[in-house]
Amino acid sequence: MPSSSDAQPAGQGDGEDFASRVLAVVDSIPPGRVMTYGDVAAALGSRAARMVGQVMAYYGGEVPWWRVVRASGHPALGHEHIALQYYRAEGTPLLGGGTIAYRVDLRAARHTP
């Protein structure tokens, strides 16, 4: 039996457990829908949106990473062109485009597990 000093608050397990939980949430996002980094953290009972970003940076290639966007609706920096191909293929609602940088329409595309 672990001592009380070994106990961890809910949602604050070891890094590998957090990473696997993040990846499971991201993997469950349906095509054409998105969640923000904060949404994924909240789904895990956490406020660690930046940690979700770290998990996605290291392990995101294993899941549909383009379905996790910044709070503004913009995809991960440096991946806008490739993400756009996925959004178009999945019919993800977008705003802007043309001469204006596009972003995902969070009102229409946000997924709540």
Side-chain angles (χ1 to χ4, degrees):
M1 175 187 230
S3 70
S4 61
S5 63
D6 294 334
Q8 296 177 338
Q12 301 297 315
D14 66 41
E16 287 182 28
D17 182 54
F18 184 78
S20 65
R21 292 171 49 217
V22 165
L23 296 175
V25 169
V26 174
D27 201 36
S28 74
I29 303 170
R33 304 296 297 275
V34 299
M35 292 176 76
T36 66
Y37 294 97
D39 292 340
V40 173
L44 299 174
S46 173
R47 294 181 2 181
R50 289 178 188 240
M51 203 57 195
V52 170
Q54 288 294 309
V55 169
M56 294 303 294
Y58 287 105
Y59 308 108
E62 300 174 22
V63 294
W65 55 266
W66 59 93
R67 296 181 190 154
V68 181
V69 297
R70 294 180 278 165
S72 63
H74 292 95
L77 286 173
H79 298 286
E80 299 89 351
H81 181 70
I82 247 174
L84 183 58
Q85 294 174 27
Y86 286 112
Y87 297 144
R88 286 181 174 156
E90 294 183 356
T92 307
L94 302 174
L95 298 170
T99 58
I100 301 169
Y102 78 91
R103 63 189 170 100
V104 173
D105 182 350
L106 288 176
R107 283 189 178 168
R110 184 175 247 147
H111 173 66
T112 306

